[in-house]
Amino acid sequence: MSAAQVLDVARPAPSGDVRPRRRQWLRVVRWGALVAALAAAALVLWRAVNRPSKPAVRYETTPVARGLIVAKVTASGTLSALVTVSVGSQVSGRIESLSADFGSEVRKGQVVATIEPSLFKAAVAQARANNGAAVAALARAEAQAVNADRQYARARALQLEGIASRSELDTAEAALGVAKADVVSARWAVSQSQAALDQANLNLRYTRIASPIDGVVISRNVDVGQTVAATLQAPILFTIAQDPTRMQVDTSVPEADIGKIRKGTVVSFQVDAYPGRRFPGTVRQLRDNAQTIQNVVTYDVVIDVDNSERLLKPGMTANVEIVYAEKAEVLRVANAALRYRPAPGDGTNDAKEASFAPDERPVWLLRAGAPVRVPIRPGITDGTWTEIVSGPVQAGDVAISEVVKEGSTP
């Protein structure tokens, strides 16, 4: 339609003719609907052309290469002396003197403390007096027994001659029996008093507290003038560690790792006091007594340590590494690649898959820009790398460890 035609349509018709005017307005409506439909189609086409594309996929990879793998078990433990003895008091009393202190080197039999002995000396004197009285009572009973025996012999002789009666003989015989019984009783009384004397002397000796071993005092729990009571249990005065040049570490190893450790395995450990130094040790014992710590079953592994330099102290925390396998120049892959599992949209839906055996694990390799899943048979691991024992993998391959979806592109 030309401009003249549009003007002609817009020009009002003569008032006497209505039908031409109605046809003109219908023509305008049709053309307007056509224009609106074309505009809507153009908008739909523009949106389809400019619709955001799917997010691009970028693969985080790690190389498959040859290198060293050191498989180890890590655990923490506490240093202690091979033999630690708590020295206590077997008698109660007031501490009169101390002959040892923290860090003192003591010998077996050396007096390290004394308890005020006055009461015990008095007890010894009393027990000695009681024993003397018992000995005297025994001598008296024996003398009476001798006299009773003579009386019985005389009464028997008289009774045989018909001078003494039978009742007199019986009386003499009974007296002899009583005298003999008194002798036996007196002898036991002497033994009892002697035992009391021995106990009193023993308690007096216990006032001098001696070291039972050669070693070093690592703790002192009393002071001079303090009273100790040994009524229910012996109070601990000192703790002595034998031979501080030899120590041990008691570690807690989880049950999942205990089967990897053997007696005689060489280990190394660190302590916070010397962060830049590693100390050697040797596994001496794997104890069967299990302990549950935070729902984890652990076993005590005892490690012998040479402390000739006297740097290590009892009670230090040791961070132990127990190496149970070591291989050099083996084909290895990062553990992150073994943990990777594809998700929808990772671009692995159409990837080629390989068959698996029960002892194999999947690894996704990036070959020619496309992910390929291959089976491998893993070996030892150090927590970061895992040995590849067999599988269609070689050095130089690239394994997928993560997939990153980048932002939308226009």
Side-chain angles (χ1 to χ4, degrees), residues 1 5 29 31 58 123 168 273 342 348 372:
M1 180 184 294
Q5 291 174 333
V29 172
W31 280 104
R58 178 169 59 86
E168 291 176 341
T348 57
V372 178

PDB file of all heavy atoms in Angstrom, residues 1 5 29 31 58 123 168 273 342 348 372:
ATOM      1  N   MET A   1       0.848  -1.184   0.000  1.00  0.00           N
ATOM      2  CA  MET A   1       0.000   0.000   0.000  1.00  0.00           C
ATOM      3  C   MET A   1       0.881   1.230   0.000  1.00  0.00           C
ATOM      4  O   MET A   1       1.761   1.367   0.831  1.00  0.00           O
ATOM      5  CB  MET A   1      -0.914   0.017   1.231  1.00  0.00           C
ATOM      6  CG  MET A   1      -1.819   1.216   1.300  1.00  0.00           C
ATOM      7  SD  MET A   1      -2.778   1.239   2.835  1.00  0.00           S
ATOM      8  CE  MET A   1      -3.798  -0.182   2.611  1.00  0.00           C
ATOM      9  N   GLN A   5      -2.469   5.715  -1.089  1.00  0.00           N
ATOM     10  CA  GLN A   5      -3.560   4.818  -0.734  1.00  0.00           C
ATOM     11  C   GLN A   5      -3.902   4.910   0.737  1.00  0.00           C
ATOM     12  O   GLN A   5      -5.063   4.882   1.142  1.00  0.00           O
ATOM     13  CB  GLN A   5      -3.189   3.379  -1.110  1.00  0.00           C
ATOM     14  CG  GLN A   5      -3.128   3.136  -2.607  1.00  0.00           C
ATOM     15  CD  GLN A   5      -2.622   1.741  -2.937  1.00  0.00           C
ATOM     16  OE1 GLN A   5      -1.890   1.177  -2.168  1.00  0.00           O
ATOM     17  NE2 GLN A   5      -3.031   1.225  -4.105  1.00  0.00           N
ATOM     18  N   VAL A  29      -7.092  -3.077  10.163  1.00  0.00           N
ATOM     19  CA  VAL A  29      -6.935  -4.047  11.267  1.00  0.00           C
ATOM     20  C   VAL A  29      -6.136  -5.262  10.829  1.00  0.00           C
ATOM     21  O   VAL A  29      -5.281  -5.785  11.551  1.00  0.00           O
ATOM     22  CB  VAL A  29      -8.326  -4.453  11.784  1.00  0.00           C
ATOM     23  CG1 VAL A  29      -8.209  -5.610  12.782  1.00  0.00           C
ATOM     24  CG2 VAL A  29      -9.004  -3.267  12.456  1.00  0.00           C
ATOM     25  N   TRP A  31      -3.864  -5.436   8.441  1.00  0.00           N
ATOM     26  CA  TRP A  31      -2.444  -5.110   8.305  1.00  0.00           C
ATOM     27  C   TRP A  31      -1.781  -4.934   9.680  1.00  0.00           C
ATOM     28  O   TRP A  31      -0.630  -5.294   9.896  1.00  0.00           O
ATOM     29  CB  TRP A  31      -2.274  -3.837   7.462  1.00  0.00           C
ATOM     30  CG  TRP A  31      -2.383  -4.114   6.002  1.00  0.00           C
ATOM     31  CD1 TRP A  31      -3.431  -3.843   5.188  1.00  0.00           C
ATOM     32  CD2 TRP A  31      -1.393  -4.721   5.203  1.00  0.00           C
ATOM     33  NE1 TRP A  31      -3.201  -4.237   3.888  1.00  0.00           N
ATOM     34  CE2 TRP A  31      -1.904  -4.795   3.889  1.00  0.00           C
ATOM     35  CE3 TRP A  31      -0.117  -5.226   5.430  1.00  0.00           C
ATOM     36  CZ2 TRP A  31      -1.195  -5.338   2.830  1.00  0.00           C
ATOM     37  CZ3 TRP A  31       0.575  -5.749   4.358  1.00  0.00           C
ATOM     38  CH2 TRP A  31       0.042  -5.820   3.093  1.00  0.00           C
ATOM     39  N   ARG A  58      35.618 -27.797  32.268  1.00  0.00           N
ATOM     40  CA  ARG A  58      37.076 -27.755  32.294  1.00  0.00           C
ATOM     41  C   ARG A  58      37.546 -28.827  33.275  1.00  0.00           C
ATOM     42  O   ARG A  58      37.051 -28.936  34.398  1.00  0.00           O
ATOM     43  CB  ARG A  58      37.575 -26.387  32.743  1.00  0.00           C
ATOM     44  CG  ARG A  58      39.095 -26.288  32.839  1.00  0.00           C
ATOM     45  CD  ARG A  58      39.522 -24.838  33.032  1.00  0.00           C
ATOM     46  NE  ARG A  58      38.937 -24.266  34.220  1.00  0.00           N
ATOM     47  CZ  ARG A  58      39.477 -24.381  35.451  1.00  0.00           C
ATOM     48  NH1 ARG A  58      40.606 -25.047  35.607  1.00  0.00           N
ATOM     49  NH2 ARG A  58      38.890 -23.833  36.489  1.00  0.00           N
ATOM     50  N   ALA A 123      58.217 -48.092 120.526  1.00  0.00           N
ATOM     51  CA  ALA A 123      57.526 -49.355 120.275  1.00  0.00           C
ATOM     52  C   ALA A 123      58.502 -50.521 120.326  1.00  0.00           C
ATOM     53  O   ALA A 123      58.161 -51.611 120.818  1.00  0.00           O
ATOM     54  CB  ALA A 123      56.820 -49.292 118.929  1.00  0.00           C
ATOM     55  N   GLU A 168      45.835 -89.594 145.161  1.00  0.00           N
ATOM     56  CA  GLU A 168      47.013 -88.739 145.250  1.00  0.00           C
ATOM     57  C   GLU A 168      47.877 -88.863 144.000  1.00  0.00           C
ATOM     58  O   GLU A 168      48.446 -87.884 143.519  1.00  0.00           O
ATOM     59  CB  GLU A 168      47.823 -89.120 146.490  1.00  0.00           C
ATOM     60  CG  GLU A 168      47.116 -88.771 147.797  1.00  0.00           C
ATOM     61  CD  GLU A 168      47.893 -89.248 149.014  1.00  0.00           C
ATOM     62  OE1 GLU A 168      48.763 -90.152 148.836  1.00  0.00           O
ATOM     63  OE2 GLU A 168      47.663 -88.737 150.087  1.00  0.00           O
ATOM     64  N   ALA A 273      59.512 -30.294  71.445  1.00  0.00           N
ATOM     65  CA  ALA A 273      60.678 -29.584  71.977  1.00  0.00           C
ATOM     66  C   ALA A 273      61.780 -29.424  70.945  1.00  0.00           C
ATOM     67  O   ALA A 273      62.569 -28.477  71.011  1.00  0.00           O
ATOM     68  CB  ALA A 273      61.222 -30.322  73.205  1.00  0.00           C
ATOM     69  N   PRO A 342      32.424 -39.201  38.319  1.00  0.00           N
ATOM     70  CA  PRO A 342      31.730 -38.245  37.446  1.00  0.00           C
ATOM     71  C   PRO A 342      30.312 -37.959  37.934  1.00  0.00           C
ATOM     72  O   PRO A 342      29.677 -38.786  38.590  1.00  0.00           O
ATOM     73  CB  PRO A 342      31.723 -38.945  36.092  1.00  0.00           C
ATOM     74  CG  PRO A 342      31.801 -40.405  36.428  1.00  0.00           C
ATOM     75  CD  PRO A 342      32.651 -40.495  37.657  1.00  0.00           C
ATOM     76  N   THR A 348      31.109 -36.935  30.766  1.00  0.00           N
ATOM     77  CA  THR A 348      31.569 -38.323  30.796  1.00  0.00           C
ATOM     78  C   THR A 348      30.446 -39.308  30.484  1.00  0.00           C
ATOM     79  O   THR A 348      30.646 -40.518  30.592  1.00  0.00           O
ATOM     80  CB  THR A 348      32.138 -38.657  32.190  1.00  0.00           C
ATOM     81  OG1 THR A 348      31.106 -38.403  33.165  1.00  0.00           O
ATOM     82  CG2 THR A 348      33.340 -37.790  32.500  1.00  0.00           C
ATOM     83  N   VAL A 372      38.171 -40.970  29.449  1.00  0.00           N
ATOM     84  CA  VAL A 372      38.104 -42.413  29.236  1.00  0.00           C
ATOM     85  C   VAL A 372      38.310 -43.089  30.584  1.00  0.00           C
ATOM     86  O   VAL A 372      39.291 -42.799  31.286  1.00  0.00           O
ATOM     87  CB  VAL A 372      39.163 -42.895  28.229  1.00  0.00           C
ATOM     88  CG1 VAL A 372      39.089 -44.405  28.063  1.00  0.00           C
ATOM     89  CG2 VAL A 372      38.988 -42.193  26.894  1.00  0.00           C
TER      90      VAL A 372
END
